Every structure is written in C-alpha cells, then in structure tokens.
Amino acid sequence: MFDFFSKRRQQKALRDEDDKALFIERYTAFRELLKNNNKVLMTMADMQEKASGAFVFDRAYVHSSYDAVSDGVKRIIDNLNVLGNEKYKALIHPFQKSDKAIRKHLAAEVAIPKTDYVIPLKELGKQTVASAGGKLAYLGELAGVLGLAVPPGFVVTTYAYQSFIKHNQIRDVLNEKTSKVDIRNYDELTATSQEMQELVRNGQIPADLETAILDAYRDTCERAGNENLKISVRSSAIHEDIMASFAGQYETALNTPAEDLLTQYKNVLASQFTPRALFYYKDKGFHVDEMAMAVGVLAMVESKVSGIMYSRDPGSPRDDVILINAVWGLGAYAVGGVVPTDNYRVSGNSEPKIIREETGRQEVMLVGKPEGGTHEIPVPKEWLEKPCLSNEQILELASYARKLETHFGQPQDMEWAMDQESRFYLLQSRQLRLPSAGALAEEERSRVPKGYKILLEGGTIACSGVGAGPVYVVNREEDLADFPEGGVLVVRHTHPEFAVVLEKASAVVSDIGTVLGHLATVAREYNVPAIFNTDRATKILKTGMQVTVDAGYANVYEGIVEEVLKSTKADDASKASPALEQLQGVLQMITPLNLTDPRSPDFTPKGCETLHDITRFAHEVSLQAMFDLSKESHFAERSTKQLVCEVPMQWWVIDLEDGIKKGVTGKKVRSDEIVSIPFRAIWEGMTALPWKGPPPVDTKGFLSIMFGATMDPSIDPSVRKRFADKNYIILSKHFCNLNSRLGFHFSTTEAYVGDNPNENYVSFIFKGGAADADRRVRRVQFVGKLVEEFDFRIEIKDDSLLARLEGHDQDYLTERLKVLGHIIIHTRQLDMVMFNDSMVNWYYQDLLKGIESFVKIPR
Amino acid sequence: METKKVKDLVIPLTDYPHMPYWGTLREAIVQLNVSFETGHHTVLVFDEAYKLVGMLLEKDMLQGLEPKFAQHYENGVPILWDEILKSGAEERLGRPIKEFMSEVKSSVDAEDKILKASHIMLNDNVFILPVMEGDKLIGVVRMGDVLHEITNALLEL
C-alpha cells in the first residue's frame, strides 16, 4: 500500500518537474564546448600557418600549442558528455591514444652519446655529429674519408661538455634562464646572456677532463712537429652548420698558445650563451639539452691568404660556377665582411674560365702574434696591388669544391687557408643555403618602374627578393635594441651580430660586405632581401626614410614602390629547423580529418582517429544534441512567460540568462523587453511585413484532407502533446532557440550570435506540411532555394530542410536571421499553393521581393 | 449498361490548385493562371488544419475584381477593365479570398453513382462537388464530366 502511493507520488513529481535548471547546465556545457572547439581550431590553424615554414618559432611554441589543443579537446569531450548525458564517453579512447602518441613524439630528444672526452680529428666522420658537433664531424670526414688536407687536431666532445656542466652543477640554472628569457627584449637578453656566460667561464674543468685535453694537445704538437704549437679553438655545436645555419654565432679563438687553451675552451663553451647565439638558438627552437657544445682544437695555420668558397653561386645556382673570395692574412676578415675581398668566379669544369674581380683595396689584414692572439697590421706594400691567388691556386681550390659537392651531394660553403708555403688547408665545409625556387624565378618585371627615384644603384645581391619599410641605420650593436618591425637594416659592415634583427627586417643594405659572409647566410635563411657592397648606403639612406629594396636588380627606391613589391614573394621551402620538423610531425598526428561525412556509418566515437576528428564529431553531435534538448525539455509554467505579440500565435519564453530586460516580472513579456540578439533579429524578420495568416482558431471547414501515410510524423499525438499548442522560445543574450509549429508545419531556428565570429552559428530546420508529397517537396525546395540565396548551406531530405551558417560576425548573422524570421511566418501553409513549378517561381520572386524590402544583404 | 460511379470520374485532390483561405486574390489569380491549361478553373480553399472551407470559382474571382461602383448597376454597364486595374485594384488584389469564395454546401461519396452527383449539382446549383471516401476528402467531380459520361451512356443505348 505504502509502495503504491510512493510510486504514484514519484510519477507525479516527474510530471511536474521543471527542466530549466538541467537545461541551463547542459546549455552551459554546450557553450563551453563551442568555445573550446573554436580555440582548438584557431590553435591548429596557427600551427599550420607556422608549419608552412614562412614563420619563425621555437619548440616552446610547439609544446605550448599542443598543450592548448590537448586541453581544449579534453574539455570538448567533457562538455559533450554533460550535454549528451554521458552518451559520448567512448570519445576518451581515441583522445588518449592520440594524446599519448603525440606526447611521445614531443618528448623525443637528441641524446648525447657517452664517449671519450677527446677524439682525434682523423677518427671523426659525419656519423659523429652528436659527439663532435657538426663542424668538426664534417672536417673529420674531409680528412678521413676524402683525404684532403686539414690541420691536425682533436675535438673535445659533447660528453665532455656534459661532464663540465654536471661537475659545476649549473645545468638547471642554465635551463631555467634559457627558457625564461624573452629574446625579443634586447636588454633582458643581454643581461641574461652575461649571467650565463659568467657561470660557464667561472666553472671549473674537472681534473680528468683537463688531463685529457692537455694530453691530446701534446699529441697534436708531436704530429705537427712543433712543441709550442699555436692552435685555433673552435665551436662545434650539434646543429651548427648542418641544420640551421648558426653561422658565426659562436666564439672562435685564433692563434691560441698552450697556456690559454683551457680558458679558451671555456670561452667557446660560454659563447653558446652570447646574445646572438641565445637568440638564434631559441628562435630556431632547439631543445635545451641540444645545446651541448663540442669544441675543436686545431693546429693554427699561419695563413698568408685565406677565404671562403661556394661550390655554387647563390645568385644562379643552376650554373656550374664556383665562387671564391680571398683576403690577405687570416680568414676572419673575409667572413666578417670587414675588408674588401678579392673575388673569383670559376665557371665550367673541363675548360674552366676564371673571372677575377680584384679590388686591391685591402689595406689591413689580420695575423697571429708570435706570443699568441691576433692583431691587425697593414698589408705589406709589395702585396698591395697583387691578387691574392694565382690561376693555378684558384683551380686547385675549385677542384676541392667540386669534390666536396659530389661527396655530400649538396652545394657546399667552405672555409680555407693557405700557409706561408702555399699549402692549402680546408678549415670547414657545410651545406650552402640557396634562395628558394620562388626567389630565383624573379624575372620579367621591368627593371626600373617609371616615376620613382632610385636612391642607390648597384651592389652585390646577397639574397634576392623585394622588401620595403622604414630605414634603420645600425652603427653599433646597441642600436639593435630599437630596430623596428619591418625595418630596412642599413649597415656599414655586415657584422654577424646584426643577425638578431633579421627576423624583423624587411631588407638589408650594406656599404661593405660579402655574399659569402655570415649575415648573408642568415639573411637567406630568413629570406630577407639583401644588397651588399653598395658603397654608400649609410651616407644616402637615413633612419626613418621609407624605401623599397629591390634585391633582384640591386636598386633601392625612394618610397614604397608597389610595382616592385608585387613581384612574387618567395617562400623558402628549404627552411628546416628542429622546431619546424617537430611541428610538422605533430600536425600530421593532429590535423588529418577522416570523419568528413556526418551521414557515414563511421561517424562515431570509434571512427575518430585524430584530434581533429574528435572535434569535428563533437561539434556536429553537440549541435544535434542541443537541438534535441530544446525539443525534449519540459518547462513548468513557473519557468515560462507568455510573449505578448501582434502575431496571432502563442509563444512562451524561457529565459536562460540575460535574455530579458532586468526588472520584468509577471507571467507576460513584450517583445521589446527581450534583449536576446538573435531573437530580436528573428522577430524583426517575422514582423517586418504584415502577416496575412489566419486567426488561431477558425474551424469552419468540415472536409478534412488526411493523406494518411504520407503525413508528417510530427503530428503523432505523443509528440504533439508538448509542442502542438505552445511554441517555445528559449533564449539568452546571445542565444535563441525558437520553435514554431502551426498545424502540420514545423520549424526550429537556433542561433548563437556573440562577439566571436568563430563561435557563432545559425541552424534552421523546416519540415512538414499537410499537402500531398509533391507539394511538400516543392515547398521545402523552395525554402531551401530562398535561404541558399542568402548564403546558407542547405541539406534537403524528402520534405525536410536543414540550413546552416557557421562562423560569421554579428551583423552578417542578424541580417540572415531576419530572413529566417520572414520565411518562418510567410511560408507556412505555402505547401498548399505549390501546385507546380510555375507557382514555386512566382512565390520565390514574391518572397524575395518582400525580404529585400527590409533586409540589407548584398547579393 | 450500369452507369459509372463517382470514383471513376473523380479528379484527385493533388491535381487541383489549393490555397489557404487567407491567401490573396492576387495569389489566386496566379494559381488559376498557371493551372489554366490543365483545364482546372477552380481553386480549393483550405484552413490551417487542411480542412476544406470553400472553393474559389471563376465567378467569385470576377466578382472580387469588379469595382464597387459597378455592383450598383444592372446588366450592361460598360465596365472598362483597364480602369479596374487602375482604380483601387491594388487594394482589391490584396484582399483574402475568404471574402469572395463560395461556400461548400454539399459533397458526394466516391461510391455513389454519377446520377446522384448530377442530382446534387442540380439541387444545390453547383458545378463542382467534393468527393469523399468515408470522412476523407479525395478529390472533386465536375458537372461537365458528369454530363459527358451521361450523354455517352445515352448515345450507346
């Protein structure tokens, strides 16, 4: 007896239940889902843009972007389960699977192999990069595999570096400083760099490492037959030279005496943290543990002449041309662009032709001092007017270039030196960066556009392309701090230090400089158009002037010359940094979309393979779930207000939050008291033109059409109970779900219209009618055609229409909601009149005319 | 020979122009215009519950178009049609057909003989009759078709 009553009571309680609180909870989840969906897609888009290679970013970017994606997708799943009453729990499986795989990919790092502290040069090869760093590993390859002349020496390995860091317990502090420093803030970068370098320079070399280095030095002395051998101490970082061009970012100590060896070793280690190296490292996205530095110790070549050689001309890489430049004395002056160089072009292999460009202007040169170190002295008088190299010497060098290019299968950028006995040594060989195909295709543009003033003409093109912006003259390193975004860097010399601003620069112009120098290499890497050797750029171009740099024809124009800028912007396909590779790898695991068709049987949680699939699935079913939620919810009388309106239909309003003006109490609400943005737009469309519909109750008719089986199922009595008589409008400030049902006609309009276009959407379902199938189909096609005219995407199945719009701003959507409002009112019962296609056309034109009288949509 | 039943002559509902009763005279004219060549000259008028509430006959339409002043004259008033279109036509064209339509007084069952249909037509002075199947409207039967069927039967005797 008791049970029976209790059950009865329960049932009664259920019937009286108000779903409003539940509805709000699920609606909130729905909003969160849309928000996160939007965030995830934006992040993915940003990552893809970066992955095109046209931008610079670091690994921290890849990590934090992925964290954002992962977190967003997780939230999407959680919220979908709130909205869909835990129906989509299975989505967590594909998510966890993807997430695990991607995190594994992200964690992959370069491991430093455990080796001896020192390894002799001749035992090195390209397989030893992780131990010996790029520069020394490749130099070892030249000596060991190719048998070319290189100075004797050895490498102090990355493992030794690791031991040094461990011994001094500075790993964590270095890591922390590196990850925290803001490399765009020049002052901060400089200060952090100072602190880090101090840490390294003040470090203590472990005793066994010290012994190993000094033993190796004595071995080298023995081999060179000079017990007082001067050496060069060179950086050889893992990625230096082989991947990103760390051109000139690290320290090299020339002509070092034995007693300075250990100090210079630490100096080179510390140079990993110079501002420009730190900038480069972070900008290119290397991992902290990849900063391991190997150091090469090579017998010093007492150069009479030294220089650089390219196995290809970056200006015309398809031609068989070798470029060589040469200076008297040590090569540092050739690389740094400090003095004018002798330039030689060797073209053709079997019958080589040498084109000489001897400047004869080199007045000073760099040489080693007997006691160690280097200094600048005047070029001896008898050399002044002489070329640095003879034809035979040029050809000998050219033969090395060919050999190396063949061996490595890629154009090479080499450093060489010739000692007092005229013996050649190769000091370095690395991949030569060439401008991309796009930049090379720079062609038929007329050379000088009419009506523009040429400020500078001539010079050497270091990186072709076109750029424009305000001139910024840099004299000293300190000037770099204020370099403007998009500025044209104008310098006297092409110091490698200036590379830190290339990422921001739109072009570079220098008085003096060489296309084979570091700055040129970095310019090409960032694809910054560069003209060097203009001789007087710093005299003519003043900070603040707007100029256009045409590094296709070596011209600088006054002002912004659109004709020149229009020529194809090149994107550098050859760019590859660890961060870029990692990003591309991660994207391959995130972005492929397998779930394209919501109607496919695979459109299930199980069918989701990537995170993109999950977002796609969740978004689709969330819209559906929201729709169903509105349909299935039951609202008690106390939650609703009747809308007082001119339209002779009955509407009940459920306010989720902020949809109705504050202070409106009672059981009724007027349309002007509703502030919901989408509602107001729909309502405006509904009431803009007078409605010629029937009074609500008018049952004079006595002969009823009952098309039986073809009748819309929506008049099934059980469904009808909830919505047949009452039309609900569920709304909030930015949301509106409006059901409209009259007789056999049914439509639902749902919209979210907020400030963020990517979260906005409108969906519209229209179905039913009581006429015969042909007429109903004609009507639904007619409505479909109408909304399509206003940019909706439509889907028609039998007599029902689904129209959607996603991702537009408020003005765009409100105008289209007005269209829907008009259609909701003026197309009901129109199935009756759809006698044939002529009628369809007539009504189409008639409604279009009506809509255009109050809606502003350009078509 | 047995005379045919109404169901043999019925024109299915779907073949006939329909309109809701609040549709305008203008819409009705368009309906009849596009259906003219099908030989149907009547619009069936329904309410929102798809119940038949009337029929718009040709005479109803002419009546709707006729200017007010003409209605006070006997036969033979020289009505100028182009004037109809000028003076106040917009207003009349926008009026709901409910105001002009003929009421449905009677119907015939699909199983009835056509002679019964003929009888009802004469009795109620209508040219077209709704045809019912039980309590469901399935179409209409027209006086012309009824007459044609009867004359055919007579000639064969």
Side-chain angles (χ1 to χ4, degrees), chain A residues 19 80 133 315 438 449 728 847 856:
Chain A
D19 289 345
L80 182 63
Y728 282 118
L847 259 83
K856 288 174 229 67

Side-chain angles (χ1 to χ4, degrees), chain A residues 238 274 839:
Chain A
I238 295 179
T274 59
M839 282 319 290

Side-chain angles (χ1 to χ4, degrees), chain A residues 196-270:
Chain A
M196 294 172 83
Q197 292 188 68
E198 287 299 305
L199 279 172
V200 176
R201 284 205 203 95
N202 296 334
Q204 187 189 38
I205 300 179
D208 52 347
L209 175 55
E210 190 175 313
T211 313
I213 293 174
L214 295 177
D215 285 352
Y217 169 72
R218 272 187 289 278
D219 279 354
T220 308
C221 290
E222 265 174 45
R223 249 178 295 138
N226 177 354
E227 61 177 314
N228 227 341
L229 185 69
K230 302 281 195 313
I231 46 185
S232 67
V233 185
R234 296 172 161 248
S235 67
S236 184
I238 295 179
H239 292 288
E240 188 180 354
D241 297 350
I242 51 157
M243 201 129 58
S245 165
F246 274 79
Q249 306 300 325
Y250 300 136
E251 189 76 21
T252 294
L254 297 175
N255 206 39
T256 304
E259 60 269 28
D260 290 346
L261 171 55
L262 295 174
T263 312
Q264 292 297 5
Y265 171 65
K266 286 195 286 184
N267 277 344
V268 174
L269 292 190

Side-chain angles (χ1 to χ4, degrees), chain A residues 692 703 705 775 833 843, chain B residues 14 16 22 27 31 50 52:
Chain A
K692 48 196 184 182
L703 304 170
I705 297 181
R775 279 178 163 85
V833 303
Y843 277 97
Chain B
T14 52
Y16 241 80
W22 62 89
E27 291 174 79
Q31 277 278 1
Y50 236 115
L52 186 69

Side-chain angles (χ1 to χ4, degrees), chain B residues 100-133:
Chain B
F100 317 109
M101 70 184 184
S102 300
E103 225 179 305
V104 179
K105 299 178 195 147
S106 41
S107 66
V108 63
D109 194 276
E111 294 297 328
D112 287 336
K113 296 278 169 61
I114 54 170
L115 273 173
K116 182 172 178 188
S118 160
H119 179 75
I120 296 172
M121 284 173 177
L122 291 172
N123 210 38
D124 293 351
N125 192 24
V126 294
F127 300 85
I128 190 162
L129 272 181
V131 177
M132 304 298 289
E133 202 166 64

Side-chain angles (χ1 to χ4, degrees), chain A residues 635-843:
Chain A
F635 298 99
E637 196 137 310
R638 66 191 139 86
S639 296
T640 64
K641 288 186 193 302
Q642 190 177 359
L643 181 66
V644 186
C645 59
E646 317 78 53
V647 177
M649 283 181 72
Q650 301 196 320
W651 305 90
W652 270 263
V653 175
I654 297 114
D655 182 23
L656 298 176
E657 51 167 7
D658 307 332
I660 294 180
K661 266 188 197 159
K662 293 238 169 354
V664 175
T665 54
K667 297 308 295 171
K668 300 210 166 177
V669 60
R670 294 194 317 270
S671 63
D672 62 314
E673 290 169 327
I674 297 178
V675 292
S676 167
I677 292 165
F679 171 81
R680 294 200 66 84
I682 299 170
W683 196 251
E684 193 186 326
M686 281 180 160
T687 53
L689 299 179
W691 188 43
K692 48 196 184 182
V697 185
D698 192 331
T699 47
K700 277 192 305 190
F702 65 104
L703 304 170
S704 148
I705 297 181
M706 295 299 271
F707 283 102
T710 64
M711 192 84 79
D712 189 281
S714 60
I715 57 161
D716 169 68
S718 63
V719 178
R720 198 171 183 169
K721 229 180 351 195
R722 273 192 182 156
F723 273 109
D725 303 315
K726 284 188 176 183
N727 288 301
Y728 282 118
I729 304 172
I730 305 166
L731 47 78
S732 73
K733 182 85 204 284
H734 297 288
F735 174 82
C736 178
N737 177 296
L738 182 144
N739 272 286
S740 157
R741 186 183 285 263
L742 182 75
F744 310 126
H745 310 275
F746 165 81
S747 80
T748 298
T749 311
E750 187 173 281
Y752 185 86
V753 182
D755 297 331
N756 186 337
N758 296 305
E759 289 174 24
N760 293 346
Y761 70 92
V762 172
S763 57
F764 177 62
I765 280 191
F766 184 94
K767 61 195 265 187
D772 53 288
D774 287 350
R775 279 178 163 85
R776 278 184 289 142
V777 167
R778 273 188 215 116
R779 176 179 58 168
V780 85
Q781 280 170 345
F782 154 75
V783 174
K785 197 174 151 195
L786 256 182
V787 296
E788 221 176 9
E789 186 73 34
F790 295 98
D791 313 307
F792 282 84
R793 282 187 296 117
I794 65 162
E795 205 177 298
I796 290 175
K797 208 177 158 195
D798 300 330
D799 68 345
S800 58
L801 163 78
L802 168 63
R804 297 213 293 198
L805 268 181
E806 279 155 43
H808 292 278
D809 66 24
Q810 193 167 316
D811 290 347
Y812 183 98
L813 291 182
T814 49
E815 286 304 301
R816 279 151 183 88
L817 281 168
K818 289 183 199 169
V819 173
L820 292 186
H822 185 82
I823 287 174
I824 291 166
I825 293 299
H826 293 272
T827 59
R828 63 172 76 230
Q829 257 81 3
L830 272 192
D831 54 337
M832 273 186 212
V833 303
M834 294 295 168
F835 176 69
N836 61 16
D837 291 343
S838 302
M839 282 319 290
V840 174
N841 285 335
W842 190 82
Y843 277 97

